Amino acid sequence: EACPDAAWVMANRWCANALMRLGRLAEAHDRLEHALVRSQALGDFNSQVEVLRSLVSLHVMRGNLIEAGRLFDQVWALRGQVRARDEWLMWRLRGHLATSQHDYAQALAAYQQALACAQQIEDSFAQLLLEERLGETYLGMGQLATAHDFLARALAGFRRAGAGEYQVLASFHLSRVLILNGQPEPAAQLLREALSLAQHPEAPLPILAPRNAFADALLKDPDLSLQAF
């Protein structure tokens, strides 16, 4: 049974993650910092790992890559304390940080390892999340055919699961592949579908806003350069 302090850490981490999805990063940061201090005082390694993972993601969102890297080193040092079912999350975080640093070779290796872990524990939704990340990575590397395969498979899975937020992300990246392959019409269809989902009242609009802005602009001007996105 969880002690009150452990429950407090868990509740604050959940609250911070929700605040991050709403774009309220300063509030999320304060909650996570307090939760990290409390989890360290408890000697609760699982809680420390979960809080540190959220802090790394938050600093990546803020563009503070040096601090994100410092915190990642801390969480990676605790990898041996992580439950086997959660190991894919560690590798995914490594890939996320590498992607933010435009180190696509390291990101690719990390996401491939994360996918292997997810397959080992037969977590089908985790596999979809990682296929989307792999598609995004191959896109960054300019390997469009492979990117298309991963993104199309992930998008189909998100549609079946009714996972609208992730469907928007996969649609956005797949549309970029289609545009680069000279297929503006199917790209525009995907973007319209993504915009419709993103305008749903429950969509995390602050997170999706840049992609929505790109989709809006692209629908108005199919020749828009992708470099800014």
Side-chain angles (χ1 to χ4, degrees):
E1 185 174 338
C3 71
D5 280 344
W8 184 93
V9 170
M10 180 174 64
N12 273 271
R13 180 177 60 83
W14 285 351
C15 184
N17 288 342
L19 289 167
M20 287 168 61
R21 290 168 62 81
L22 293 170
R24 294 162 60 178
L25 301 186
E27 295 171 71
H29 181 268
D30 288 346
R31 285 185 177 272
L32 288 170
E33 286 289 348
H34 289 308
L36 180 60
V37 170
R38 189 77 66 91
S39 65
Q40 289 171 333
L42 289 169
D44 185 342
F45 291 115
N46 280 320
S47 291
Q48 287 179 53
V49 166
E50 290 170 349
V51 173
L52 283 166
R53 279 204 316 255
S54 294
L55 276 168
V56 171
S57 296
L58 185 148
H59 282 289
V60 168
M61 291 173 70
R62 283 180 153 180
N64 299 334
L65 299 186
I66 293 176
E67 181 64 9
R70 185 186 71 81
L71 291 167
F72 176 78
D73 289 342
Q74 289 185 37
V75 73
W76 193 255
L78 295 171
R79 182 173 161 233
Q81 308 292 333
V82 174
R83 292 180 290 262
R85 288 195 61 84
D86 291 339
E87 188 172 0
W88 72 273
L89 291 166
M90 299 289 282
W91 285 103
R92 184 180 70 162
L93 185 64
R94 189 183 185 106
H96 181 50
L97 180 60
T99 299
S100 70
Q101 298 166 331
H102 303 288
D103 186 345
Y104 293 112
Q106 185 178 119
L108 180 63
Y111 288 140
Q112 287 173 333
Q113 183 62 43
L115 181 59
C117 292
Q119 290 169 337
Q120 187 172 10
I121 61 173
E122 299 181 339
D123 188 329
S124 58
F125 194 77
Q127 291 175 54
L128 289 176
L129 294 174
L130 294 163
E131 286 175 348
E132 196 280 331
R133 291 291 180 92
L134 281 163
E136 182 181 348
T137 303
Y138 279 114
L139 172 58
M141 298 172 74
Q143 298 185 30
L144 300 184
T146 307
H148 182 280
D149 290 346
F150 274 103
L151 290 168
R153 187 158 58 244
L155 178 56
F158 292 143
R159 282 172 172 160
R160 288 193 300 271
E165 174 186 348
Y166 297 106
Q167 190 175 331
V168 169
L169 298 179
S171 296
F172 169 75
H173 292 299
L174 184 55
S175 71
R176 294 179 66 191
V177 172
L178 292 170
I179 290 164
L180 290 170
N181 278 331
Q183 299 175 276
E185 290 185 7
Q189 182 178 345
L190 272 179
L191 288 170
R192 290 190 185 95
E193 179 184 343
L195 281 170
S196 176
L197 286 168
Q199 289 164 359
H200 190 278
E202 295 181 1
L205 292 180
I207 291 178
L208 299 177
R211 293 172 173 83
N212 298 347
F214 168 75
D216 267 330
L218 188 60
L219 288 173
K220 294 172 184 174
D221 181 5
D223 296 323
L224 184 68
S225 169
L226 295 172
Q227 296 306 311
F229 299 90

